[in-house]
Amino acid sequence: MKKDLHPKVYTTKVRCACGYEFESKSTVGEELGVEICSHCHPFFTGEQRFVDSAGRIDRFRKKYAGLQK
């Protein structure tokens, strides 16, 4: 087997914007920040809310506000 073929795997501490933290394995580094996780994502929580970090929903509504069926 060739030397230095595989990337280094770290035990990574992942921190979500909601405050939840957990440990995982990753090649990224020892710490990783994410915007959304399984504790705050609507699919896993069952709550109906929009995940809109860049204002996409507002731009969509503004763009198509004048259209009617």
Side-chain angles (χ1 to χ4, degrees):
M1 193 171 219
K2 291 183 181 180
K3 265 189 161 188
D4 300 326
L5 179 67
H6 299 288
K8 183 170 170 93
V9 177
Y10 301 97
T11 300
T12 306
K13 188 169 195 173
V14 182
R15 290 188 180 132
C16 180
C18 70
Y20 182 69
E21 296 180 357
F22 61 94
E23 288 189 359
S24 183
K25 300 283 186 183
S26 175
T27 59
V28 175
E30 294 181 2
E31 290 191 14
L32 179 65
V34 294
E35 293 180 15
I36 197 158
C37 67
S38 62
H39 282 267
C40 58
H41 193 281
F43 179 79
F44 296 106
T45 61
E47 297 175 2
Q48 179 64 32
R49 66 182 175 117
F50 294 105
V51 179
D52 184 27
S53 61
R56 294 184 192 128
I57 295 172
D58 293 331
R59 284 189 305 216
F60 179 83
R61 287 183 179 160
K62 185 187 242 184
K63 183 176 180 180
Y64 295 107
L67 296 178
Q68 293 181 1
K69 290 184 179 181

